Amino acid sequence: MKTDVLLGVQWGDEGKGKVVDVLTPGYDVIARFQGGPNAGHTIEFDQKKFILHTIPSGIFYPEKTNVIGNGVIIDPFILKKEIEQLNAEGIDPEQNLLISKKTHLILPSHRLLDAVYETSKGKQKIGSTLKGIGPTYTDKVARLGIRVGEINDTAFKEKYDKLKERHFRIIASYPYDIKAFRIDGLDFETYEAQWFDALATLKKIKQIDSEHFINRQMESGKSVLAEGAQGTMLDIDFGSYPFVTSSNTICAGVCSGLGIAPSKVGRVFGIFKAYCTRVGSGPFPTELDDDDGLKMRDAGHEYGSTTGRPRRCGWLDLVALKYAIMLNGITDLVMTKGDVLSGFEKLKVCTAYQINGKTIDHYPFESDLAKPVYHEMEGWNTPIDHIRNAEDIPNALADYIRFIENETGVKISIVSLGPDRKQTIMI
Ligand code: GDP
Ligand code: IMO
Ligand code: MG
């Protein structure tokens, strides 16, 4: 069998966690392939709400295997907290979570570096989640990183100290009082001590050669779903650089982040919100600085799952969406949060950009200069979060869906109309 993929085709927070959880019953293995605890994936069912940062969203089904792939980076301190929260609800990830020996570790000093780099950028800051993502991937590529498979080695502490010293030498070249920096509210020494304590939790998770594991699963007829983090417009190569994350969030990341050959990739689900949001800095052509934007933020509870920051909101951008469909080879679209648009009399959808008076229909290098060209549509003036069947979708929403399908040439296979598992329509 081939591996299916679900990934974000906007700027993250499209509802990946919710929809992976909904699709999990149809798969044997759920695997994360990139990113780290900068991700915040929300899952709601039975009046309970969970936010996962590192663990795949298939964890709520004890009979399903969850894999943290080699392309992911992991902070033992954050993983420990995540596991404890699941344990409190009777879920035991030790039973069905596996981790690649090649997964890189986020060190406390990576987080310090992240904070120093952001501070030094001033107004140009990226708006990083400050989880140490950039510095950890930098060390991976520089061939300086430390991997999960090394945590039991006798040389581990020596390697840790060497890398930490290197980070402190870099930090010393900045004019900051390092004692003033906090990591998750803690001073460096306290955080570091807790990070080392957390290694004990990490050691309890079974380490595997995940590329062999996943390929053997596929050969034996088991089905695999790869779960993306962030979104295509935050991709290190194709996002609005430098306002991006430090990994390949696109489908190609599945191949390098799990060891799956391109010919083994099956369906690719591209998930998007019925409008757009972005958290952090960077170009956002359809951003709304008016009451409509505030209305979306309020109705959609658009505050970051990882950092709590308010998300910037704007109309659906089909130029960016088509770009993401091209880069990922999307076979199926998934639309979330249509319920949030209930009550807007008119809706706008961006179908082209204007740059210096010229109209273009492709996502450009100069996305910071793009001004949106809108197509206006009728809204649906009724609540829709209770709808469970495609036949009950109001005409205006059906028109909205058809318009997106016609413009992109891709079918919308799943419509989500609320945060709960049950608020999902398979079309
Ligand atoms: P992810 O990072 O892609 O997993 O998305 P997040 O969990 O960061 O953000 C999505 C937010 O929207 C979460 O609070 C979800 O519970 C919520 N959500 C997901 N789908 C829907 C939907 O269809 N309607 C509404 N109203 N909320 C949704
Ligand atoms: P999920 O998986 C939304 C954004 C940050 C910042 C930029 C770089 O929940 O969709 P980083 O911490 O990676 O150095 O931040 O990327 N960002 C996200 N935005 N959802 C995410 O993940 C994100 N992960 C990172 O806000 O602008
Ligand atoms: Mg999120």
Side-chain angles (χ1 to χ4, degrees), residues 13-18 40-42 305 311 337 339 416-419:
D13 302 329
E14 297 90 348
K16 297 175 290 292
K18 175 199 158 158
H41 295 181
T42 315
S305 310
R311 296 178 183 143
K337 302 192 100 159
D339 54 304
S416 164
L417 296 176

Side-chain angles (χ1 to χ4, degrees), residues 279 302-311:
V279 60
E302 295 296 356
Y303 296 88
S305 310
T306 298
T307 58
R309 291 177 292 174
R311 296 178 183 143

Side-chain angles (χ1 to χ4, degrees), residues 131-147:
K131 303 296 176 198
I133 305 300
T136 305
Y137 277 120
T138 303
D139 278 346
K140 173 179 177 176
V141 176
R143 296 161 294 181
L144 295 166
I146 306 178
R147 299 180 291 175

Side-chain angles (χ1 to χ4, degrees), residues 1-3 27-31 63-67 98 206 208-225 260 264:
M1 283 195 70
K2 294 189 174 185
T3 287
Y27 291 91
D28 298 301
V29 179
I30 311 299
E63 71 282 12
K64 308 293 179 181
T65 305
N66 288 266
V67 176
L98 304 169
K206 192 175 173 201
I208 55 163
D209 294 308
S210 61
E211 65 280 28
H212 289 298
F213 176 82
I214 299 260
N215 279 283
R216 273 202 303 269
Q217 293 288 309
M218 287 192 289
E219 277 159 27
S220 64
K222 296 273 168 60
S223 53
V224 182
L225 178 65
I260 292 171
K264 297 273 170 60

Side-chain angles (χ1 to χ4, degrees), residues 11-14 16 32 36 38-41 52 114 126-134 228-231 234 242-246 278-281 305-307 309 311:
W11 287 269
D13 302 329
E14 297 90 348
K16 297 175 290 292
R32 277 274 306 267
N38 48 349
H41 295 181
L52 298 172
D114 209 0
I126 289 162
S128 162
T129 59
L130 302 179
K131 303 296 176 198
I133 305 300
Q230 291 78 58
L234 291 171
F243 303 103
V244 293
T245 190
S246 298
R278 176 167 199 169
V279 60
S281 329
S305 310
T306 298
T307 58
R309 291 177 292 174
R311 296 178 183 143

Side-chain angles (χ1 to χ4, degrees), residues 135-175:
T136 305
Y137 277 120
T138 303
D139 278 346
K140 173 179 177 176
V141 176
R143 296 161 294 181
L144 295 166
I146 306 178
R147 299 180 291 175
V148 165
E150 298 174 73
I151 54 175
N152 290 311
D153 292 356
T154 42
F156 174 71
K157 184 65 172 44
E158 198 182 317
K159 211 170 162 188
Y160 172 92
D161 286 337
K162 216 170 139 193
L163 192 54
K164 175 182 149 185
E165 277 163 30
R166 188 186 150 80
H167 294 157
F168 273 81
R169 281 198 300 278
I170 300 172
I171 291 166
S173 67
Y174 288 84

